[in-house]
Tab-separated table of all heavy atoms in Angstrom:
chain	number	residue	atom	x	y	z
A	1	MET	N	0.847	-1.198	0.000
A	1	MET	CA	0.000	0.000	0.000
A	1	MET	C	0.886	1.253	0.000
A	1	MET	O	1.854	1.347	0.732
A	1	MET	CB	-0.894	-0.015	1.246
A	1	MET	CG	-1.919	1.108	1.247
A	1	MET	SD	-2.894	1.056	2.755
A	1	MET	CE	-3.757	2.610	2.609
A	2	THR	N	0.522	2.168	-0.836
A	2	THR	CA	1.292	3.398	-0.904
A	2	THR	C	0.413	4.596	-0.595
A	2	THR	O	-0.802	4.529	-0.691
A	2	THR	CB	1.923	3.590	-2.293
A	2	THR	OG1	0.900	3.492	-3.263
A	2	THR	CG2	2.998	2.561	-2.572
A	3	ALA	N	1.045	5.677	-0.224
A	3	ALA	CA	0.307	6.893	0.058
A	3	ALA	C	1.131	8.089	-0.386
A	3	ALA	O	2.355	8.038	-0.410
A	3	ALA	CB	-0.006	6.992	1.546
A	4	LYS	N	0.429	9.124	-0.701
A	4	LYS	CA	1.110	10.330	-1.152
A	4	LYS	C	1.376	11.239	0.044
A	4	LYS	O	0.457	11.551	0.810
A	4	LYS	CB	0.225	11.047	-2.171
A	4	LYS	CG	1.000	11.947	-3.098
A	4	LYS	CD	0.063	12.486	-4.159
A	4	LYS	CE	0.802	13.441	-5.085
A	4	LYS	NZ	-0.103	14.025	-6.073
A	5	CYS	N	2.605	11.623	0.165
A	5	CYS	CA	2.973	12.511	1.260
A	5	CYS	C	2.310	13.874	1.048
A	5	CYS	O	2.481	14.486	0.002
A	5	CYS	CB	4.487	12.657	1.308
A	5	CYS	SG	5.026	13.884	2.492
A	6	PRO	N	1.557	14.332	2.046
A	6	PRO	CA	0.856	15.608	1.909
A	6	PRO	C	1.801	16.800	1.916
A	6	PRO	O	1.401	17.910	1.572
A	6	PRO	CB	-0.080	15.631	3.122
A	6	PRO	CG	0.499	14.688	4.092
A	6	PRO	CD	1.277	13.670	3.312
A	7	MET	N	3.027	16.557	2.317
A	7	MET	CA	3.966	17.666	2.409
A	7	MET	C	4.764	17.858	1.124
A	7	MET	O	4.835	18.942	0.591
A	7	MET	CB	4.912	17.417	3.594
A	7	MET	CG	5.843	18.562	3.874
A	7	MET	SD	5.003	20.150	4.110
A	7	MET	CE	4.114	19.837	5.630
A	8	CYS	N	5.340	16.793	0.614
A	8	CYS	CA	6.189	16.935	-0.568
A	8	CYS	C	5.602	16.242	-1.790
A	8	CYS	O	6.050	16.457	-2.912
A	8	CYS	CB	7.582	16.389	-0.272
A	8	CYS	SG	7.626	14.607	-0.078
A	9	GLY	N	4.582	15.414	-1.602
A	9	GLY	CA	3.923	14.786	-2.732
A	9	GLY	C	4.573	13.493	-3.175
A	9	GLY	O	4.142	12.885	-4.146
A	10	ASN	N	5.578	13.051	-2.477
A	10	ASN	CA	6.222	11.781	-2.804
A	10	ASN	C	5.303	10.615	-2.497
A	10	ASN	O	4.597	10.626	-1.490
A	10	ASN	CB	7.493	11.621	-1.963
A	10	ASN	CG	8.699	12.176	-2.692
A	10	ASN	OD1	8.645	12.474	-3.881
A	10	ASN	ND2	9.788	12.316	-1.979
A	11	VAL	N	5.319	9.644	-3.336
A	11	VAL	CA	4.543	8.439	-3.075
A	11	VAL	C	5.438	7.443	-2.348
A	11	VAL	O	6.488	7.058	-2.853
A	11	VAL	CB	4.007	7.833	-4.374
A	11	VAL	CG1	3.268	6.536	-4.093
A	11	VAL	CG2	3.090	8.817	-5.079
A	12	GLU	N	5.000	7.092	-1.152
A	12	GLU	CA	5.815	6.241	-0.307
A	12	GLU	C	5.020	5.039	0.192
A	12	GLU	O	3.798	5.035	0.181
A	12	GLU	CB	6.316	7.028	0.914
A	12	GLU	CG	7.200	8.191	0.559
A	12	GLU	CD	8.573	7.748	0.114
A	12	GLU	OE1	9.056	6.709	0.625
A	12	GLU	OE2	9.163	8.417	-0.749
A	13	GLN	N	5.735	4.051	0.634
A	13	GLN	CA	5.099	2.888	1.232
A	13	GLN	C	4.547	3.256	2.611
A	13	GLN	O	5.193	3.955	3.380
A	13	GLN	CB	6.124	1.762	1.395
A	13	GLN	CG	6.509	1.112	0.093
A	13	GLN	CD	5.467	0.105	-0.370
A	13	GLN	OE1	4.616	-0.296	0.411
A	13	GLN	NE2	5.538	-0.271	-1.620
A	14	TRP	N	3.356	2.762	2.858
A	14	TRP	CA	2.746	3.032	4.156
A	14	TRP	C	3.243	2.057	5.202
A	14	TRP	O	3.426	2.408	6.355
A	14	TRP	CB	1.229	2.909	4.035
A	14	TRP	CG	0.593	4.211	3.725
A	14	TRP	CD1	0.707	4.911	2.567
A	14	TRP	CD2	-0.231	4.998	4.592
A	14	TRP	NE1	-0.019	6.073	2.656
A	14	TRP	CE2	-0.609	6.156	3.879
A	14	TRP	CE3	-0.709	4.824	5.899
A	14	TRP	CZ2	-1.425	7.143	4.438
A	14	TRP	CZ3	-1.529	5.798	6.447
A	14	TRP	CH2	-1.876	6.943	5.727
A	15	GLU	N	3.403	0.832	4.760
A	15	GLU	CA	3.783	-0.207	5.721
A	15	GLU	C	5.162	0.058	6.298
A	15	GLU	O	6.128	0.249	5.578
A	15	GLU	CB	3.766	-1.568	5.039
A	15	GLU	CG	2.392	-2.193	5.079
A	15	GLU	CD	2.394	-3.561	4.440
A	15	GLU	OE1	3.160	-4.421	4.889
A	15	GLU	OE2	1.640	-3.745	3.487
A	16	GLY	N	5.210	0.067	7.627
A	16	GLY	CA	6.486	0.271	8.279
A	16	GLY	C	6.936	1.712	8.290
A	16	GLY	O	8.042	2.012	8.713
A	17	ASN	N	6.068	2.576	7.846
A	17	ASN	CA	6.424	3.994	7.831
A	17	ASN	C	5.939	4.649	9.122
A	17	ASN	O	4.748	4.779	9.360
A	17	ASN	CB	5.803	4.675	6.615
A	17	ASN	CG	6.231	6.126	6.505
A	17	ASN	OD1	7.002	6.608	7.320
A	17	ASN	ND2	5.728	6.797	5.513
A	18	ALA	N	6.892	5.053	9.931
A	18	ALA	CA	6.529	5.627	11.223
A	18	ALA	C	6.107	7.079	11.093
A	18	ALA	O	5.618	7.671	12.034
A	18	ALA	CB	7.703	5.526	12.180
A	19	PHE	N	6.304	7.617	9.916
A	19	PHE	CA	6.060	9.052	9.754
A	19	PHE	C	4.812	9.351	8.944
A	19	PHE	O	4.572	10.466	8.533
A	19	PHE	CB	7.272	9.715	9.099
A	19	PHE	CG	8.544	9.382	9.775
A	19	PHE	CD1	9.479	8.575	9.145
A	19	PHE	CD2	8.812	9.854	11.042
A	19	PHE	CE1	10.669	8.263	9.770
A	19	PHE	CE2	9.992	9.535	11.678
A	19	PHE	CZ	10.920	8.737	11.043
A	20	ARG	N	4.066	8.284	8.661
A	20	ARG	CA	2.875	8.501	7.863
A	20	ARG	C	1.909	9.470	8.547
A	20	ARG	O	1.848	9.499	9.781
A	20	ARG	CB	2.201	7.164	7.567
A	20	ARG	CG	1.643	6.495	8.796
A	20	ARG	CD	1.233	5.082	8.458
A	20	ARG	NE	0.543	4.496	9.588
A	20	ARG	CZ	0.279	3.215	9.713
A	20	ARG	NH1	0.653	2.367	8.795
A	20	ARG	NH2	-0.345	2.765	10.763
A	21	PRO	N	1.146	10.227	7.857
A	21	PRO	CA	1.008	10.146	6.396
A	21	PRO	C	2.148	10.805	5.620
A	21	PRO	O	2.026	10.982	4.425
A	21	PRO	CB	-0.307	10.895	6.162
A	21	PRO	CG	-0.349	11.914	7.233
A	21	PRO	CD	0.330	11.277	8.424
A	22	PHE	N	3.220	11.119	6.307
A	22	PHE	CA	4.337	11.746	5.618
A	22	PHE	C	5.352	10.687	5.208
A	22	PHE	O	5.378	9.596	5.762
A	22	PHE	CB	4.992	12.794	6.510
A	22	PHE	CG	3.997	13.792	7.028
A	22	PHE	CD1	3.526	13.693	8.325
A	22	PHE	CD2	3.510	14.788	6.211
A	22	PHE	CE1	2.585	14.590	8.803
A	22	PHE	CE2	2.571	15.689	6.679
A	22	PHE	CZ	2.110	15.594	7.974
A	23	CYS	N	6.203	11.048	4.267
A	23	CYS	CA	7.139	10.072	3.732
A	23	CYS	C	8.362	9.953	4.617
A	23	CYS	O	9.029	8.933	4.633
A	23	CYS	CB	7.533	10.458	2.313
A	23	CYS	SG	8.527	11.966	2.228
A	24	SER	N	8.646	10.978	5.347
A	24	SER	CA	9.867	10.971	6.141
A	24	SER	C	9.719	11.867	7.361
A	24	SER	O	8.757	12.624	7.488
A	24	SER	CB	11.047	11.466	5.298
A	24	SER	OG	10.824	12.816	4.934
A	25	LYS	N	10.692	11.774	8.215
A	25	LYS	CA	10.667	12.593	9.420
A	25	LYS	C	10.737	14.074	9.067
A	25	LYS	O	10.169	14.924	9.732
A	25	LYS	CB	11.859	12.214	10.303
A	25	LYS	CG	11.785	12.854	11.676
A	25	LYS	CD	12.866	12.318	12.583
A	25	LYS	CE	12.649	12.827	14.001
A	25	LYS	NZ	13.618	12.252	14.943
A	26	ARG	N	11.463	14.326	8.002
A	26	ARG	CA	11.640	15.708	7.586
A	26	ARG	C	10.295	16.351	7.247
A	26	ARG	O	9.994	17.461	7.673
A	26	ARG	CB	12.571	15.754	6.377
A	26	ARG	CG	12.957	17.149	5.980
A	26	ARG	CD	14.103	17.143	4.996
A	26	ARG	NE	14.156	18.411	4.305
A	26	ARG	CZ	13.598	18.626	3.122
A	26	ARG	NH1	12.992	17.642	2.523
A	26	ARG	NH2	13.663	19.803	2.551
A	27	CYS	N	9.497	15.623	6.491
A	27	CYS	CA	8.195	16.145	6.102
A	27	CYS	C	7.282	16.269	7.317
A	27	CYS	O	6.498	17.200	7.429
A	27	CYS	CB	7.566	15.242	5.048
A	27	CYS	SG	8.296	15.481	3.428
A	28	GLN	N	7.411	15.334	8.212
A	28	GLN	CA	6.597	15.366	9.418
A	28	GLN	C	6.929	16.609	10.242
A	28	GLN	O	6.050	17.304	10.737
A	28	GLN	CB	6.861	14.116	10.241
A	28	GLN	CG	5.881	13.941	11.370
A	28	GLN	CD	6.210	12.748	12.234
A	28	GLN	OE1	7.374	12.534	12.551
A	28	GLN	NE2	5.224	11.971	12.588
A	29	LEU	N	8.198	16.884	10.360
A	29	LEU	CA	8.629	18.038	11.130
A	29	LEU	C	8.223	19.333	10.443
A	29	LEU	O	7.836	20.297	11.090
A	29	LEU	CB	10.151	18.004	11.327
A	29	LEU	CG	10.627	16.944	12.311
A	29	LEU	CD1	12.150	16.921	12.354
A	29	LEU	CD2	10.077	17.204	13.700
A	30	LEU	N	8.299	19.323	9.142
A	30	LEU	CA	7.896	20.510	8.391
A	30	LEU	C	6.435	20.829	8.647
A	30	LEU	O	6.050	21.975	8.832
A	30	LEU	CB	8.121	20.290	6.901
A	30	LEU	CG	9.544	20.534	6.409
A	30	LEU	CD1	9.686	20.084	4.968
A	30	LEU	CD2	9.901	22.002	6.537
A	31	ASP	N	5.636	19.786	8.659
A	31	ASP	CA	4.213	19.974	8.883
A	31	ASP	C	3.947	20.436	10.302
A	31	ASP	O	3.174	21.347	10.556
A	31	ASP	CB	3.472	18.660	8.621
A	31	ASP	CG	1.973	18.845	8.770
A	31	ASP	OD1	1.388	19.471	7.878
A	31	ASP	OD2	1.412	18.389	9.763
A	32	LEU	N	4.641	19.817	11.237
A	32	LEU	CA	4.479	20.174	12.640
A	32	LEU	C	4.877	21.631	12.861
A	32	LEU	O	4.243	22.357	13.613
A	32	LEU	CB	5.359	19.255	13.502
A	32	LEU	CG	5.163	19.401	15.000
A	32	LEU	CD1	3.834	18.811	15.414
A	32	LEU	CD2	6.286	18.709	15.751
A	33	ASP	N	5.903	22.035	12.170
A	33	ASP	CA	6.396	23.395	12.290
A	33	ASP	C	5.326	24.390	11.846
A	33	ASP	O	5.046	25.365	12.525
A	33	ASP	CB	7.649	23.544	11.435
A	33	ASP	CG	8.398	24.803	11.802
A	33	ASP	OD1	8.669	24.987	12.998
A	33	ASP	OD2	8.689	25.591	10.905
A	34	GLY	N	4.730	24.107	10.726
A	34	GLY	CA	3.687	24.984	10.216
A	34	GLY	C	2.476	24.970	11.114
A	34	GLY	O	1.833	25.989	11.333
A	35	TRP	N	2.216	23.823	11.651
A	35	TRP	CA	1.100	23.622	12.551
A	35	TRP	C	1.260	24.464	13.812
A	35	TRP	O	0.353	25.143	14.260
A	35	TRP	CB	1.082	22.148	12.904
A	35	TRP	CG	-0.216	21.632	13.390
A	35	TRP	CD1	-1.246	21.172	12.624
A	35	TRP	CD2	-0.612	21.454	14.753
A	35	TRP	NE1	-2.245	20.731	13.446
A	35	TRP	CE2	-1.899	20.893	14.741
A	35	TRP	CE3	-0.005	21.729	15.977
A	35	TRP	CZ2	-2.574	20.599	15.915
A	35	TRP	CZ3	-0.683	21.446	17.148
A	35	TRP	CH2	-1.951	20.884	17.105
A	36	LEU	N	2.455	24.402	14.375
A	36	LEU	CA	2.719	25.117	15.615
A	36	LEU	C	2.707	26.623	15.403
A	36	LEU	O	2.146	27.357	16.186
A	36	LEU	CB	4.067	24.687	16.188
A	36	LEU	CG	4.073	23.290	16.799
A	36	LEU	CD1	5.480	22.943	17.268
A	36	LEU	CD2	3.126	23.202	17.974
A	37	SER	N	3.328	27.065	14.333
A	37	SER	CA	3.375	28.504	14.091
A	37	SER	C	1.973	29.049	13.863
A	37	SER	O	1.681	30.190	14.186
A	37	SER	CB	4.286	28.826	12.913
A	37	SER	OG	3.947	28.032	11.814
A	38	GLU	N	1.133	28.190	13.334
A	38	GLU	CA	-0.252	28.603	13.131
A	38	GLU	C	-0.962	28.720	14.477
A	38	GLU	O	-1.759	29.612	14.716
A	38	GLU	CB	-0.963	27.564	12.264
A	38	GLU	CG	-2.374	27.934	11.917
A	38	GLU	CD	-2.460	28.569	10.545
A	38	GLU	OE1	-1.421	28.864	9.952
A	38	GLU	OE2	-3.564	28.766	10.077
A	39	ARG	N	-0.607	27.835	15.345
A	39	ARG	CA	-1.275	27.775	16.634
A	39	ARG	C	-0.837	28.915	17.551
A	39	ARG	O	-1.598	29.405	18.371
A	39	ARG	CB	-0.926	26.442	17.292
A	39	ARG	CG	-1.986	26.026	18.285
A	39	ARG	CD	-1.565	24.766	18.996
A	39	ARG	NE	-2.595	24.343	19.929
A	39	ARG	CZ	-2.368	23.503	20.929
A	39	ARG	NH1	-1.171	23.010	21.094
A	39	ARG	NH2	-3.324	23.134	21.726
A	40	TYR	N	0.415	29.292	17.392
A	40	TYR	CA	0.936	30.325	18.278
A	40	TYR	C	0.539	31.733	17.857
A	40	TYR	O	0.866	32.692	18.516
A	40	TYR	CB	2.466	30.227	18.349
A	40	TYR	CG	2.916	29.068	19.195
A	40	TYR	CD1	3.899	28.201	18.769
A	40	TYR	CD2	2.343	28.861	20.448
A	40	TYR	CE1	4.309	27.144	19.544
A	40	TYR	CE2	2.741	27.805	21.223
A	40	TYR	CZ	3.726	26.943	20.773
A	40	TYR	OH	4.125	25.905	21.543
A	41	ARG	N	-0.169	31.788	16.748
A	41	ARG	CA	-0.624	33.109	16.312
A	41	ARG	C	-1.781	33.547	17.186
A	41	ARG	O	-2.854	32.945	17.197
A	41	ARG	CB	-1.037	33.049	14.847
A	41	ARG	CG	0.151	33.386	13.942
A	41	ARG	CD	-0.122	32.967	12.546
A	41	ARG	NE	-1.177	33.781	11.938
A	41	ARG	CZ	-1.619	33.588	10.701
A	41	ARG	NH1	-1.131	32.632	9.989
A	41	ARG	NH2	-2.545	34.347	10.197
A	42	ILE	N	-1.559	34.613	17.916
A	42	ILE	CA	-2.582	35.091	18.832
A	42	ILE	C	-3.546	36.030	18.107
A	42	ILE	O	-3.121	36.980	17.468
A	42	ILE	CB	-1.929	35.826	20.020
A	42	ILE	CG1	-1.040	34.840	20.805
A	42	ILE	CG2	-2.998	36.425	20.923
A	42	ILE	CD1	0.144	35.503	21.439
A	43	PRO	N	-4.793	35.727	18.230
A	43	PRO	CA	-5.797	36.584	17.582
A	43	PRO	C	-5.825	37.981	18.175
A	43	PRO	O	-5.506	38.188	19.339
A	43	PRO	CB	-7.116	35.855	17.837
A	43	PRO	CG	-6.839	34.797	18.831
A	43	PRO	CD	-5.367	34.563	18.861
A	44	ASP	N	-6.203	38.942	17.376
A	44	ASP	CA	-6.198	40.334	17.811
A	44	ASP	C	-7.322	40.639	18.798
A	44	ASP	O	-7.165	41.408	19.723
A	44	ASP	CB	-6.348	41.257	16.611
A	44	ASP	CG	-5.136	41.179	15.694
A	44	ASP	OD1	-4.087	40.722	16.155
A	44	ASP	OD2	-5.258	41.585	14.547
A	45	ALA	N	-8.442	40.029	18.591
A	45	ALA	CA	-9.597	40.327	19.413
A	45	ALA	C	-9.510	39.615	20.756
A	45	ALA	O	-10.146	38.601	20.981
A	45	ALA	CB	-10.867	39.928	18.689
A	46	GLU	N	-8.694	40.145	21.627
A	46	GLU	CA	-8.562	39.527	22.939
A	46	GLU	C	-9.052	40.452	24.045
A	46	GLU	O	-9.616	40.023	25.025
A	46	GLU	CB	-7.104	39.161	23.182
A	46	GLU	CG	-7.000	37.946	24.100
A	46	GLU	CD	-5.565	37.606	24.387
A	46	GLU	OE1	-4.918	38.422	25.061
A	46	GLU	OE2	-5.099	36.557	23.933
A	47	GLU	N	-8.853	41.739	23.879
A	47	GLU	CA	-9.265	42.683	24.906
A	47	GLU	C	-10.651	43.228	24.592
A	47	GLU	O	-10.959	44.375	24.861
A	47	GLU	CB	-8.264	43.820	24.989
A	47	GLU	CG	-6.833	43.335	25.092
A	47	GLU	CD	-5.889	44.521	25.128
A	47	GLU	OE1	-6.213	45.521	25.764
A	47	GLU	OE2	-4.832	44.441	24.497
A	48	ASP	N	-11.446	42.407	24.026
A	48	ASP	CA	-12.774	42.861	23.657
A	48	ASP	C	-13.804	42.297	24.640
A	48	ASP	O	-13.903	41.109	24.842
A	48	ASP	CB	-13.096	42.382	22.235
A	48	ASP	CG	-13.843	43.460	21.480
A	48	ASP	OD1	-13.243	44.522	21.234
A	48	ASP	OD2	-15.019	43.235	21.181
A	49	GLY	N	-14.569	43.182	25.264
A	49	GLY	CA	-15.615	42.719	26.161
A	49	GLY	C	-15.148	42.610	27.601
A	49	GLY	O	-15.944	42.478	28.503
A	50	LEU	N	-13.848	42.666	27.817
A	50	LEU	CA	-13.347	42.556	29.182
A	50	LEU	C	-13.332	43.928	29.846
A	50	LEU	O	-12.706	44.852	29.361
A	50	LEU	CB	-11.943	41.954	29.183
A	50	LEU	CG	-11.910	40.428	29.039
A	50	LEU	CD1	-10.466	39.969	28.897
A	50	LEU	CD2	-12.527	39.760	30.259
A	51	ASP	N	-14.020	44.046	30.956
A	51	ASP	CA	-14.102	45.329	31.652
A	51	ASP	C	-13.871	45.151	33.149
A	51	ASP	O	-14.634	45.603	33.981
A	51	ASP	CB	-15.479	45.958	31.416
A	51	ASP	CG	-15.334	47.366	30.841
A	51	ASP	OD1	-14.287	47.991	31.061
A	51	ASP	OD2	-16.278	47.838	30.207
A	52	GLU	N	-12.784	44.466	33.464
A	52	GLU	CA	-12.549	44.175	34.876
A	52	GLU	C	-12.070	45.395	35.648
A	52	GLU	O	-12.356	45.560	36.819
A	52	GLU	CB	-11.509	43.060	34.987
A	52	GLU	CG	-12.171	41.691	34.869
A	52	GLU	CD	-11.146	40.607	35.080
A	52	GLU	OE1	-10.595	40.545	36.179
A	52	GLU	OE2	-10.895	39.857	34.130
A	53	THR	N	-11.315	46.232	34.981
A	53	THR	CA	-10.746	47.392	35.660
A	53	THR	C	-11.614	48.626	35.431
A	53	THR	O	-11.264	49.532	34.723
A	53	THR	CB	-9.310	47.648	35.177
A	53	THR	OG1	-9.305	47.609	33.755
A	53	THR	CG2	-8.361	46.598	35.710
A	54	ASN	N	-12.751	48.593	36.050
A	54	ASN	CA	-13.662	49.730	35.944
A	54	ASN	C	-14.292	49.989	37.317
A	54	ASN	O	-15.292	49.385	37.687
A	54	ASN	CB	-14.746	49.427	34.903
A	54	ASN	CG	-15.500	50.709	34.525
A	54	ASN	OD1	-15.235	51.782	35.070
A	54	ASN	ND2	-16.444	50.584	33.620
A	55	PRO	N	-13.677	50.874	38.116
A	55	PRO	CA	-14.137	51.120	39.501
A	55	PRO	C	-15.520	51.744	39.548
A	55	PRO	O	-16.259	51.537	40.515
A	55	PRO	CB	-13.096	52.095	40.066
A	55	PRO	CG	-12.401	52.672	38.886
A	55	PRO	CD	-12.516	51.656	37.778
A	56	GLU	N	-15.893	52.482	38.568
A	56	GLU	CA	-17.185	53.155	38.594
A	56	GLU	C	-18.355	52.192	38.458
A	56	GLU	O	-19.468	52.500	38.865
A	56	GLU	CB	-17.241	54.193	37.476
A	56	GLU	CG	-16.404	55.414	37.813
A	56	GLU	CD	-16.487	56.436	36.707
A	56	GLU	OE1	-17.439	57.215	36.704
A	56	GLU	OE2	-15.609	56.444	35.825
A	57	ALA	N	-18.054	51.052	37.918
A	57	ALA	CA	-19.099	50.079	37.705
A	57	ALA	C	-19.479	49.387	39.013
A	57	ALA	O	-20.543	48.807	39.148
A	57	ALA	CB	-18.653	49.044	36.687
A	58	ARG	N	-18.584	49.447	39.981
A	58	ARG	CA	-18.826	48.761	41.260
A	58	ARG	C	-19.473	49.701	42.284
A	58	ARG	O	-20.525	49.441	42.825
A	58	ARG	CB	-17.501	48.240	41.808
A	58	ARG	CG	-17.068	46.984	41.063
A	58	ARG	CD	-15.908	46.300	41.763
A	58	ARG	NE	-16.004	44.843	41.602
A	58	ARG	CZ	-15.621	43.989	42.547
A	58	ARG	NH1	-15.148	44.443	43.694
A	58	ARG	NH2	-15.713	42.711	42.356
A	59	ALA	N	-18.793	50.812	42.585
A	59	ALA	CA	-19.285	51.733	43.605
A	59	ALA	C	-20.328	52.660	43.027
A	59	ALA	O	-20.008	53.650	42.383
A	59	ALA	CB	-18.122	52.513	44.194
A	60	SER	N	-21.581	52.359	43.276
A	60	SER	CA	-22.645	53.208	42.750
A	60	SER	C	-23.024	54.304	43.750
A	60	SER	O	-23.193	55.447	43.418
A	60	SER	CB	-23.872	52.366	42.410
A	60	SER	OG	-24.047	51.366	43.392
A	61	SER	N	-23.120	53.924	45.041
A	61	SER	CA	-23.445	54.916	46.055
A	61	SER	C	-22.744	54.554	47.370
A	61	SER	O	-23.021	53.519	47.948
A	61	SER	CB	-24.951	55.010	46.261
A	61	SER	OG	-25.436	53.768	46.664
A	62	SER	N	-21.836	55.417	47.804
A	62	SER	CA	-21.102	55.120	49.026
A	62	SER	C	-21.361	56.179	50.082
A	62	SER	O	-21.098	55.980	51.253
A	62	SER	CB	-19.609	55.036	48.727
A	62	SER	OG	-19.202	56.164	48.005
A	63	ASP	N	-21.932	57.306	49.742
A	63	ASP	CA	-22.152	58.341	50.724
A	63	ASP	C	-23.584	58.904	50.670
A	63	ASP	O	-24.020	59.382	49.702
A	63	ASP	CB	-21.137	59.479	50.524
A	63	ASP	CG	-20.844	60.116	51.862
A	63	ASP	OD1	-20.002	59.569	52.588
A	63	ASP	OD2	-21.483	61.140	52.170
B	101	LIG	ZN1	7.318	13.952	2.055
C-alpha cells in the first residue's frame, strides 16, 4: 500500500512507515512546524468585552 505525502507529494510505502502520512521525518517536522506557528498566532480580538478594571461600575453609592 502506498500513500502520497501531503507535504512533498512523494509516493511512499505506508507499511512500516513511522512518519505517515508523511514520507519521512523531515516532512513530518515541516508539517508540525507549520502547525505550531499557526497555533501560536494570537488573535487580535482579545481585549474585547473585558471590563474588569472599571471602579465606577462597582461603587454606585457610598455616601
Ligand atoms: Zn514527504
Side-chain angles (χ1 to χ4, degrees):
M1 187 182 170
T2 54
K4 203 174 178 183
C5 173
M7 186 54 66
C8 69
N10 269 348
V11 177
E12 298 286 328
Q13 287 280 345
W14 268 68
E15 273 182 58
N17 184 1
F19 309 111
R20 67 191 187 193
F22 306 102
C23 68
S24 64
K25 189 172 188 176
R26 187 167 161 264
C27 284
Q28 191 184 43
L29 288 176
L30 278 171
D31 183 73
L32 187 72
D33 195 52
W35 201 86
L36 287 177
S37 50
E38 184 97 351
R39 205 184 181 199
Y40 285 133
R41 269 164 68 181
I42 298 149
D44 294 341
E46 209 182 67
E47 310 178 39
D48 219 65
L50 280 174
D51 235 335
E52 275 184 63
T53 48
N54 194 358
E56 285 181 84
R58 283 191 146 215
S60 39
S61 60
S62 50
D63 211 83

